[in-house]
Amino acid sequence: YIHKTVLPRLGRAGSSLLLEPTTLGNRNRIFFLTVGTDHQLVLKGFASKTRLHNSLIGNRFLARYGIAAPRILFADASEKTRARLGWYVSCEEKIDGTPVDETGCDSSMRTAIAAFFAQLHSLRSSRWGSLRSPQRFGFRTYLMRKIRERVHSLTASGTQFPGCDSRTIVHWFESKCGAIKAISEFSLCHGDVNTRNILVTPDNRVVIIDTEALKYLPFPIEYFRLLFFLCQDDEPAQQEFSRCYFENASPTRYREFVRCKEFYQAFVLLEFAWYFNKKIKQNPAPDSIAKQRYH
């Protein structure tokens, strides 16, 4: 398939190749593809045509606004290919960079990432959701439903909330949800941001990968995810990240943030609790390790 279909579309028909499977990707099958002696690419297999289309739309959108991400050089969404290989296929450039979780995030890297995402979040829309099907209304209903579902899931799994119960938590969010109106427009977000999806190149450029989940959201959701991933409980690091982020954002951005930060910080913490609780249930570990991971 690569010799007969992919290489001709890349203008490299007849070239030698080396295909290396990887363990990267949760939803996609990912290979490193070397064409000839030096042309390095990433070959992806998508089980979902929707995710492939999202990836193509997001790639074009980021290129239009100069946001650094791998260029997609070839895509095959045909049902014939899906029936033959079990996947829809894309091929993109391989970025010479290191994921943040493999580097240790020092001060200069944190500030570069903060500036990068301030730029990404400056792309705004009155609609929310994916680039393919943004919606004008219903975000508050969507978010409160998600909060109730997360709290219910944690409670059903036996999670204890110190000093309160699940009804108290849901009531707190309901009493604070007016903060949603503090954000006048939604911001373009990676949608699945973590330290594996942020690369730093040898010349210290920041590049995002795996962008098929791009969507418009309130920027504090992704801001707090980044803050927790990159800084954890290091308060000076958090202050540095915050300062650099808002220095590279519009003057009104911080005023919006102040009015809603408590609500979104709590929401992101709830999302983390739900996610890691699910991971522990799926991958049981000895009690001491599981407890340490959860805390």
Side-chain angles (χ1 to χ4, degrees):
Y1 172 79
I2 295 172
H3 275 295
K4 293 182 177 180
T5 304
V6 179
L7 295 187
R9 289 283 297 275
L10 297 176
R12 300 295 294 265
S15 297
S16 61
L17 66 89
L18 173 65
L19 188 66
E20 303 171 77
T22 77
T23 57
L24 302 173
N26 294 323
R27 298 182 180 89
N28 307 327
R29 187 78 183 273
I30 298 179
F31 300 84
F32 292 149
L33 172 64
T34 303
V35 180
T37 57
D38 59 353
H39 195 50
Q40 295 188 321
L41 305 166
V42 175
L43 193 74
K44 290 185 178 181
F46 291 81
S48 163
K49 183 183 287 190
T50 297
R51 294 191 72 85
L52 174 56
H53 285 162
N54 288 348
S55 183
L56 291 169
I57 293 169
N59 192 262
R60 289 194 293 267
F61 194 90
L62 294 176
R64 185 191 313 162
Y65 289 98
I67 305 294
R71 291 178 300 124
I72 295 178
L73 307 174
F74 164 80
D76 183 350
S78 74
E79 294 302 328
K80 183 178 179 180
T81 298
R82 174 71 171 83
R84 178 184 172 192
L85 303 180
W87 306 89
Y88 306 102
V89 178
S90 77
C91 188
E92 63 185 41
E93 62 179 336
K94 186 174 185 292
I95 301 297
D96 182 15
T98 305
V100 170
D101 64 346
E102 295 180 13
T103 63
C105 194
D106 61 17
S107 176
S108 62
M109 191 177 297
R110 273 193 300 271
T111 55
I113 293 170
F116 178 94
F117 278 91
Q119 179 191 6
L120 180 68
H121 296 163
S122 70
L123 302 175
R124 307 179 78 174
S125 172
S126 61
R127 296 174 179 267
W128 65 277
S130 71
L131 297 180
R132 295 185 74 202
S133 55
Q135 304 172 61
R136 183 172 294 279
F137 305 108
F139 180 75
R140 175 174 169 168
T141 301
Y142 160 81
L143 199 63
M144 287 307 303
R145 183 178 70 249
K146 202 169 187 180
I147 288 167
R148 294 185 189 96
E149 288 172 352
R150 299 301 190 239
V151 172
H152 174 76
S153 175
L154 285 165
T155 303
S157 73
T159 300
Q160 300 295 314
F161 298 102
C164 63
D165 58 22
S166 60
R167 287 177 295 180
T168 304
I169 293 173
V170 172
H171 178 72
W172 183 89
F173 277 106
E174 289 173 340
S175 70
K176 300 286 186 180
C177 70
I180 294 173
K181 295 179 180 179
I183 305 295
S184 58
E185 289 184 299
F186 300 98
S187 294
L188 185 66
C189 294
H190 182 282
D192 187 26
V193 71
N194 58 63
T195 52
R196 297 185 303 277
N197 288 338
I198 305 171
L199 303 185
V200 179
T201 67
D203 58 352
N204 292 319
R205 291 188 308 114
V206 176
V207 181
I208 51 174
I209 61 172
D210 295 339
T211 56
E212 60 261 28
L214 278 171
K215 55 177 62 73
Y216 285 103
L217 292 171
F219 78 89
I221 293 178
E222 192 148 273
Y223 169 91
F224 279 117
R225 287 175 180 166
L226 288 163
L227 191 72
F228 296 144
F229 276 128
L230 300 176
C231 307
Q232 298 184 23
D233 293 326
D234 186 338
E235 189 171 342
Q238 290 181 1
Q239 293 172 349
E240 178 184 56
F241 180 88
S242 180
R243 175 187 55 78
C244 186
Y245 180 93
F246 289 108
E247 283 179 353
N248 287 276
S250 67
T252 61
R253 183 53 56 102
Y254 186 71
R255 293 196 294 272
E256 291 178 330
F257 177 74
V258 168
R259 296 198 295 271
C260 64
K261 64 179 181 178
E262 186 180 30
F263 176 88
Y264 285 112
Q265 183 179 33
F267 171 73
V268 172
L269 285 171
L270 177 64
E271 286 276 278
F272 277 142
W274 170 82
Y275 175 79
F276 286 110
N277 182 69
K278 183 176 72 170
K279 283 293 184 183
I280 289 169
K281 299 297 182 185
Q282 291 173 346
N283 303 286
D287 287 348
S288 60
I289 297 176
K291 288 178 181 177
Q292 182 180 11
R293 286 178 181 170
Y294 182 77
H295 289 303

